[in-house]
Amino acid sequence: MSHLLRHATATGLLLWLSTFLGVMHTQAQPNADRQVDALLAQMTLDEKIGQMTLLELGMVSTDGELDPAKLREVLVERHVGALLNTKTLTLAEWQAVVTTVQEVATEQTRLGIPLLFGIDAVHGHNYLAGGVIFPHNIAMAATWDPDLVRLGAEITAVELRASGINWNYSPVFDVVRQPLWSRFFETYGEDPYLVAELGKATVKGLQGEGLQGDDMAAQGRVASTAKHFLGYGIPLTGMDRTPAWIPERILRETFLPPFQEAIEAGVSSMMINSGEINGEPTHASYDLVTKLLRDELGFEGVAVTDWEDVDKLRSVHRVAATKKDAVRMAILAGIDMNMVPLSLEFNDLLAELVEEGAVPMARIDEAVRRILTLKVRLGLFDDPYPDTDLTTQVGSAASKAASLRAAQEAVTLLKNEDDVLPLARDARVLLTGPGATSLSALHGSWTYSWQGLDEDLYPDETLTFLEALQAKAGAEQITYVPGATFEEEVDIAAAVEAAREADVAVIALAEQASVEQIGTIFDLRLPEAQTRLVEAIAETGTPVVLVLVQNRPRIIREADAVAQAVVLGYQPGTFGANALADVLYGDINPSGKLPFTYPRYTGSLLFYDRTPGEEFVNNEDEPTYNPQYEFGHGLSYTTFAYSDLTLSATEISPDDEVTVSVTVTNTGDRAGEEVVLWFVGDLVASITPAVKQLRGFEKIALAPGERRVVTVTLDRDDLAFVGTDLQWIVEPGDFTVMVGDQEATFTVR
Ligand code: BGC
């Protein structure tokens, strides 16, 4: 509220006052509607189209500095209503930039409408110098901890609002079903239920509790975006933004539910998928963007395009012959805002289309109404400026502690033969491999730059894995030999020599940070050089611990076969090196569990909810479904036993609930956390049923010897599937509930 009166100006004063009085903090919906109606009634066509235009900050800058002439042209003369940015600035720079652009928008334009300012703060405010960076989503998913995910989003929202940014392009609600995909790590994994739960936690962390974002005007809240609607996570080629072929039944059963939940959680905006589904580019699909998203799911927020995607209808997908036709198709499909973001051509083309009658004014009004409503709900008419009261919370010790905790909870112990881990403090350790010294690999892309590779932008105190091990055990205990870069061998003989002198070899296998088209790979296998490094060291007989830092599950079959322990770090963020060291030396008992199926072969990419037909045995020597590590897998330094699975009923009708409980006991000698995963399998159904599907999870902490009864209630939704008529149905028959090594069957009559 600090800028409340200072920025009330002559041009916008009357409107501003009515706005302020109208919405205050009550944010009552009718008031918002009245305010939006009043604005809409005054707006020219160009002003309306300006609200539908999202441009990159470079469009109002010259040589990286805001340019008054361009600001005037873009914001005042062309009425542009939203900006985004993909560059890292300091907090003071952000505050200055946002203050200036909002001043121009609210003081120099006829109607004084504040700007939406959007950004991809996808694992922390990753475009803020010193912003607190969390593990990427795939690692957050491995924590199975919605409260922690929500806390991370709350911290991000505070850092955004302090910077003046009011709109986040997060969270990703894509279900990933293609391990090659260069955005694998941005997702919450392969399971729709897990994706939905963690996505909702993120929405609430960013926006607050209120339905339809009514809490968003509260301090430290921003608007969130569910992306990318729909079917982005399963490109057939494995390459980013390439076509998906998804039968509608599967689209509805696997990919749609998380977005439905996002809407129920009040998500403010929906970013449309850059790709195609079944030959139809999503941005041109009336069926998806209007019939499904609006009419069926009831989404009332803003549908925003992805980067340059309207024109890609012409330049890539070739469903439009001209730029103008591309605009017509996207707007008629139901797009509200175009992330153009590097030209003003869209504005002219859309104006022509409306004047020619090819796009009805009602469509424009509908889009602008949604955008203005979002601005009202965000409280921007009250105060569009950076919330400087939040400055002291930016980069706070508590926020950093949350990031460390997230990394500690994410690290997943995949293998630990002969209890080679945890390491003794006085063990002589050889550290080798490309993950030992790369900060960017630990952080992944979207870290201080799009690809995350500019390590000069990283805070000075960020530790590499080598530095974290040295800090933990003492530099004299750690011998470092490079061994390999991401792709090339670097004197493997020297690493082998050093391994002979060591008690244990820790080999940090890694993939360079990358995303979108730049992250394309054609081969899921770990690069040869890294595999050779592992095999050569293993031949010495020194125990091998693999630490994996990667964008997606690279095939590690050969390396895994000769290693005693495997620790998956995903992309654990700024405190990831510390967390890995904590786990290696036993200061943290690992509790991460895989949020995806880790494949063993490039040619066998089944998911945990495979169908019996998919796992049909084609080779007597090896099952068809034989992943390297299963969905939900993750070891601890203690052991847990499951017992006494009990059902409240063994026969129910489709609308009854059944309560299931199980006792979990910590049977080891260390305190530990266990994630209890509940699966249900439909034994016989009219559509080939999945072998099992996740229907609930709970993370519990148990002291040695402690036991706890954990319960889940299954209802109709947990037994249903999408039938051939595209409706969710429950069919009578037997169902199995599975938890740990326990299972029991009940019957639906
Ligand atoms: C990505 C989106 C992102 C947008 C804005 C696109 O390239 O696909 O996820 O939100 O850029 O930076």
Side-chain angles (χ1 to χ4, degrees):
M1 287 307 104
S2 43
H3 295 270
L4 207 58
L5 286 167
R6 187 154 69 76
H7 293 284
T9 60
T11 35
L13 187 62
L14 272 182
L15 182 81
W16 183 89
L17 257 184
S18 68
T19 296
F20 174 58
L21 295 174
V23 291
M24 286 278 282
H25 284 293
T26 58
Q27 298 293 337
Q29 189 53 37
N31 286 347
D33 286 349
R34 270 203 297 279
Q35 179 180 10
V36 169
D37 286 342
L39 270 172
L40 257 179
Q42 301 173 60
M43 290 171 86
T44 64
L45 176 60
D46 286 346
E47 283 169 338
K48 290 176 183 172
I49 292 173
Q51 290 299 311
M52 298 169 69
T53 307
L54 173 55
L55 296 186
E56 213 275 331
L57 196 68
M59 291 290 289
V60 290
S61 315
T62 300
D63 299 332
E65 298 293 328
L66 288 177
D67 178 330
K70 289 185 183 170
L71 280 168
R72 202 169 164 79
E73 184 201 351
V74 168
L75 302 185
V76 182
E77 286 157 24
R78 307 305 300 267
H79 322 287
V80 168
L83 295 173
L84 86 160
N85 192 15
T86 57
K87 196 179 148 203
T88 288
L89 302 175
T90 64
L91 182 60
E93 286 167 341
W94 269 120
Q95 290 175 340
V97 163
V98 175
T99 300
T100 303
V101 296
Q102 293 288 21
E103 272 172 0
V104 174
T106 56
E107 297 176 14
Q108 295 178 27
T109 66
R110 190 174 76 91
L111 297 171
I113 300 173
L115 297 168
L116 281 173
F117 202 115
I119 206 156
D120 295 281
V122 297
H123 63 142
H125 184 354
N126 44 257
Y127 285 120
L128 172 67
V132 175
I133 304 298
F134 283 81
H136 262 298
N137 282 351
I138 198 71
M140 294 303 281
T143 70
W144 297 77
D145 189 340
D147 293 340
L148 188 56
V149 168
R150 181 178 175 147
L151 176 65
E154 283 170 0
I155 290 166
T156 304
V158 164
E159 298 203 346
L160 287 171
R161 270 291 174 129
S163 312
I165 299 165
N166 46 46
W167 186 23
N168 194 2
Y169 306 133
S170 164
V172 166
F173 275 88
D174 299 316
V175 171
V176 65
R177 291 289 169 123
Q178 171 50 281
L180 272 174
W181 187 37
S182 63
R183 307 189 72 171
F184 187 96
F185 62 91
E186 288 189 65
T187 74
Y188 289 117
E190 77 183 37
D191 177 69
Y193 178 75
L194 180 62
V195 169
E197 290 303 302
L198 300 184
K200 281 189 294 186
T202 307
V203 168
K204 292 194 169 158
L206 293 171
Q207 296 196 168
E209 266 302 333
L211 268 188
Q212 301 306 328
D214 284 342
D215 246 16
M216 285 190 304
Q219 192 173 43
R221 302 298 191 194
V222 297
S224 69
T225 308
K227 68 187 192 185
H228 307 76
F229 188 81
L230 181 67
Y232 192 23
I234 185 170
L236 187 64
T237 66
M239 310 305 141
D240 189 42
R241 292 172 152 78
T242 59
W245 292 86
I246 313 174
E248 186 165 354
R249 218 186 57 72
I250 306 286
L251 192 72
R252 287 175 173 277
E253 191 167 301
T254 305
F255 297 96
L256 190 59
F259 287 95
Q260 184 158 16
E261 300 265 355
I263 293 167
E264 276 158 31
V267 76
S268 297
S269 58
M270 195 64 70
M271 189 181 291
I272 306 303
N273 165 19
S274 302
E276 308 176 0
I277 305 178
N278 306 334
E280 197 180 12
T282 320
H283 282 77
S285 175
Y286 182 79
D287 281 349
L288 287 172
V289 182
T290 296
K291 277 177 43 194
L292 182 59
L293 181 63
R294 304 293 182 182
D295 303 346
E296 191 178 325
L297 300 188
F299 180 59
E300 291 176 357
V302 173
V304 61
T305 77
D306 203 340
W307 189 277
E308 287 181 338
D309 279 344
V310 172
D311 195 46
K312 289 205 186 101
L313 296 176
R314 172 194 65 88
S315 63
V316 175
H317 305 284
R318 292 215 250 146
V319 293
T322 62
K323 291 187 171 204
K324 188 163 165 182
D325 217 32
V327 171
R328 184 186 59 81
M329 289 174 106
I331 300 301
L332 291 184
I335 296 295
D336 300 319
M337 187 186 285
N338 185 359
M339 187 188 289
V340 186
L342 302 173
S343 108
L344 283 160
E345 223 173 354
F346 164 73
N347 305 55
D348 298 327
L349 296 174
L350 184 53
E352 285 172 28
L353 287 162
V354 176
E355 276 151 14
E356 290 159 11
V359 170
M361 189 61 119
R363 181 67 267 279
I364 303 292
D365 286 344
E366 176 184 65
V368 177
R369 178 180 299 282
R370 290 177 184 143
I371 293 161
L372 293 177
T373 301
L374 177 57
K375 291 183 177 185
V376 172
R377 286 195 169 136
L378 275 163
L380 299 182
F381 287 92
D382 300 359
D383 183 355
Y385 294 99
D387 187 342
T388 49
D389 294 347
L390 295 173
T391 298
T392 53
Q393 289 184 46
V394 173
S396 73
S399 302
K400 290 177 180 169
S403 171
L404 170 64
R405 210 180 105 216
Q408 289 168 332
E409 284 198 37
V411 171
T412 305
L413 180 62
L414 295 175
K415 178 177 183 179
N416 192 19
E417 277 176 12
D418 307 326
D419 292 337
V420 61
L421 293 177
L423 301 176
R425 279 294 205 277
D426 60 357
R428 290 168 304 156
V429 174
L430 162 68
L431 175 65
T432 183
T437 52
S438 170
L439 283 184
S440 43
L442 280 173
H443 288 70
S445 62
W446 304 113
T447 304
Y448 308 118
S449 67
W450 177 39
Q451 296 296 316
L453 296 177
D454 192 347
E455 294 189 8
D456 290 344
L457 297 172
Y458 285 52
D460 289 341
E461 70 267 19
T462 315
L463 296 188
T464 63
F465 184 43
L466 169 61
E467 289 162 345
L469 290 185
Q470 288 170 332
K472 178 72 75 181
E476 60 293 348
Q477 297 307 114
I478 314 292
T479 303
Y480 167 63
V481 178
T485 64
F486 296 108
E487 301 289 340
E488 307 286 334
E489 296 177 18
V490 184
D491 196 0
I492 288 185
V496 168
E497 213 38 57
R500 290 189 214 282
E501 305 300 315
D503 298 321
V504 62
V506 175
I507 310 181
L509 303 175
E511 182 174 8
Q512 183 56 294
S514 64
V515 72
E516 298 184 45
Q517 289 93 330
I518 293 173
T520 295
I521 54 171
F522 297 106
D523 190 340
L524 199 53
R525 284 178 307 165
L526 191 67
E528 279 297 317
Q530 298 195 42
T531 307
R532 272 203 292 275
L533 174 65
V534 176
E535 288 178 337
I537 287 179
E539 273 175 25
T540 65
T542 300
V544 168
V545 174
L546 302 183
V547 172
L548 310 176
V549 174
Q550 52 186 6
N551 306 355
R552 55 205 136 193
R554 303 302 292 259
I555 301 295
I556 51 163
R557 190 175 64 251
E558 288 96 346
D560 184 290
V562 296
Q564 279 63 50
V566 181
V567 177
L568 179 55
Y570 313 87
Q571 289 167 321
T574 300
F575 301 96
N578 310 60
L580 285 164
D582 289 342
V583 167
L584 255 50
Y585 283 92
D587 293 338
I588 288 289
N589 188 359
S591 61
K593 301 263 190 196
L594 276 178
F596 56 85
T597 306
Y598 203 116
R600 184 183 297 272
Y601 300 101
T602 56
S604 177
L605 303 175
L606 298 185
F607 301 97
Y608 88 90
D609 57 356
R610 74 275 178 199
T611 62
E614 283 178 316
E615 64 173 2
F616 184 74
V617 175
N618 284 291
N619 168 355
E620 283 181 9
D621 299 329
E622 189 169 358
T624 311
Y625 173 71
N626 185 22
Q628 192 78 43
Y629 295 104
E630 288 211 61
F631 175 81
H633 174 72
L635 303 171
S636 165
Y637 294 147
T638 188
T639 46
F640 298 99
Y642 286 70
S643 61
D644 306 314
L645 183 65
T646 318
L647 303 178
S648 62
T650 51
E651 270 195 34
I652 58 168
S653 70
D655 290 317
D656 289 344
E657 290 180 346
V658 55
T659 301
V660 195
S661 58
V662 73
T663 303
V664 185
T665 309
N666 181 345
T667 49
D669 53 12
R670 274 197 69 148
E673 287 184 282
E674 170 71 340
V675 186
V676 178
L677 305 181
W678 295 98
F679 295 99
V680 174
D682 187 349
L683 292 186
V684 177
S686 59
I687 296 274
T688 323
V691 170
K692 60 179 188 176
Q693 288 172 309
L694 183 73
R695 295 305 190 209
F697 63 88
E698 187 177 340
K699 189 169 193 172
I700 56 169
L702 292 177
E706 190 183 350
R707 60 181 52 204
R708 170 119 25 112
V709 176
V710 179
T711 306
V712 74
T713 300
L714 303 174
D715 63 18
R716 194 188 166 89
D717 289 348
D718 298 310
L719 311 177
F721 63 94
V722 176
T724 44
D725 61 354
L726 304 179
Q727 302 300 314
W728 287 90
I729 41 164
V730 178
E731 287 179 350
D734 289 347
F735 290 78
T736 308
V737 53
M738 295 157 252
V739 62
D741 58 359
Q742 307 277 295
E743 62 177 69
T745 301
F746 61 96
T747 305
V748 175
R749 290 277 171 225

